[in-house]
Structures are given as C-alpha cells and as structure tokens.
Amino acid sequence: MEERSTTTSAAESPEIQNHPPNPPNPPNQIFILSGQSNMAGRGGVVKDHHQNRWVWDKIVPSECSPDSSILRLRADLRWEEAREPLHADIDTGKVCGVGPGMAFANAVRKRSDSDSDVIGLVPCAVGGTAIKEWERGSRLYETMVKRAEESRRHGGEIKAMLWYQGESDVSDIHDAESYGSNMSRLIKNLRHDLSLPSLPIIQVAIASGGGYIDKVREAQLGLKLSNVVCVDAKGLQLKPDNLHLTTEAQVQLGISLAQAYLSNFC
C-alpha cells in the first residue's frame, strides 16, 4: 500500500487563490479525476537504482498524446494544455506518471460531434488515501469541490467524475465492509455540494490491494445509485509491485472509462 507523504500538496490547500484570467478557449466539457494513486498515475514510474529514487520514464503512448482541445486545471487554478503526468502538481508526495485521464479524454474527444468542443480535466487524486479521508469537511473533499467549482466558472459543464480508489481500504475489515456506504455518501454529498443531483459517476473496481479486496470490489460493483456505473480493472496488467497499473493498462482503462461514459451518458 502506498504510504501517505507528510508533504502538503497544492491539491490539499484549503485556500482558493484569486481567480485566474479567462483562458482563450475555456473547456465546455469538464471531468473530475479523483481517488488515489492509480488515478493519479504510476504508469512508467520506475526505480533509478543509480540515484536510489523513483522517476518517470517519460514514455507517452499515442493514446495519451496532448491535444490543444484538451485542457488541465493546474494546482494554481489556471487552465493549460493537458499532458502527462496530469497529477504532477497535485499528488506531490509521490512521483506521478501515466494515469487513465489522457487516454480517456482523447477517446471522448475523437467521438465529439463538434470541432469546437474543449475538454477540461480536473485532477484531484492523491495517492495512499482511504475513502474516509474524502468525507465532506475533509481537506481532500473540500479542495476537490472548490476545484470543481472553479473549473466551471467560465461556463463549462461538469459531465462526470471518474473515481479510482479503494486499495487503502482493504487492510481493515471495518473499512472494507463500510466502503459501500462511504462511497454512497461521498457521491450524494458531491452531487449536493455542486448542485448536480444527477452527476454521472464512473468508478473503477480495484484490481489490487490484497486483504479484504473482495469486500471492497463487491461494494464497488454492487453500488445501486442512479447514474453510477462501474468499470472493472481486474485483469489489467500490474507493475511488479502488484499494486499499480502499468502504462499499457492505464491506456486500456482510460479507453474503457471513455466507452462507459459514451455508452451510458451521451
């Protein structure tokens, strides 16, 4: 399991800075990316044994290539052209690599009916976090809400939240058994606080973590809320740590998330 860093990331800061200037072409389709390390992205993160540190190999698959019509909300609340690693200034306690976000955005963009569509990604994931750390009132939750609110300040519409989390809840039986109720409450609170009662949620059923993983997966796959769908990561290739998805697996997941969004909510 990833350990939480004691570093306070920009994503966890409760203060929202002065509004940045309006981007030339603000996004009109916005997606929140949240959860823990597999959403933040560890694809291509390898150990540099010469310097005894973790580094990103900087290999970007074609499915994750940047596009001028795909933007990312930075930690300082400014829009910029999105590129890997999406969470570099958000999940600052660990080295970030490829996650599912860019593959998702490119797949959705290719299916767009309008050349004027601009996709905005709002990274919020932080590695090593349990679902109880995302309760309403927590630093992580409140920052996610504030970033989401800022993302639509220029008129864009939040289309969905992508959620990949749960590996930190498999070690304790109480955490695993209460996962479903905690997730339901998170979704209801988020929808209420964003005034989006039907906000689509696309969650990922975890593929790693050991312990009581079956109970967490059962809760994820069996969640019965409207406009909530689940994409199963089971079977996707894991890195040697048996916890994080490889770059190739992250691409596959991103495309599967896009297919789930397009088939269920478009």
Side-chain angles (χ1 to χ4, degrees), residues 218-257:
E218 181 181 357
Q220 292 171 329
L221 292 166
L223 197 60
K224 302 299 183 185
L225 287 176
S226 63
N227 283 357
V228 176
V229 298
C230 189
V231 172
D232 198 347
K234 189 173 184 179
L236 292 178
Q237 184 179 18
L238 298 172
K239 296 169 61 177
D241 63 7
N242 287 318
L243 181 63
H244 297 109
L245 299 184
T246 64
T247 295
E248 294 77 11
Q250 287 285 19
V251 170
Q252 294 176 52
L253 177 62
I255 293 172
S256 294
L257 288 166

Side-chain angles (χ1 to χ4, degrees), residues 31-122:
F31 298 91
I32 303 168
L33 312 178
S34 200
Q36 59 180 114
S37 56
N38 271 315
M39 177 58 77
R42 299 293 186 264
V45 175
V46 297
K47 188 68 173 289
D48 182 337
H49 294 286
H50 294 293
Q51 300 189 40
N52 194 32
R53 63 189 182 98
W54 293 95
V55 298
W56 177 46
D57 62 16
K58 298 185 179 180
I59 297 175
V60 178
S62 59
E63 297 91 342
C64 302
S65 297
D67 186 290
S68 60
S69 62
I70 302 174
L71 306 181
R72 178 189 86 101
L73 190 68
R74 303 183 337 186
D76 64 1
L77 304 178
R78 296 175 182 269
W79 289 107
E80 67 176 3
E81 184 174 308
R83 60 185 64 245
E84 299 285 8
L86 289 175
H87 281 77
D89 62 345
I90 302 297
D91 186 15
T92 58
K94 295 286 185 177
V95 176
C96 292
V98 174
M102 283 302 296
F104 167 84
N106 275 304
V108 171
R109 183 70 184 88
K110 288 179 180 178
R111 287 282 300 274
S112 174
D113 295 328
S114 173
D115 292 336
S116 63
D117 282 342
V118 177
I119 290 175
L121 302 176
V122 184

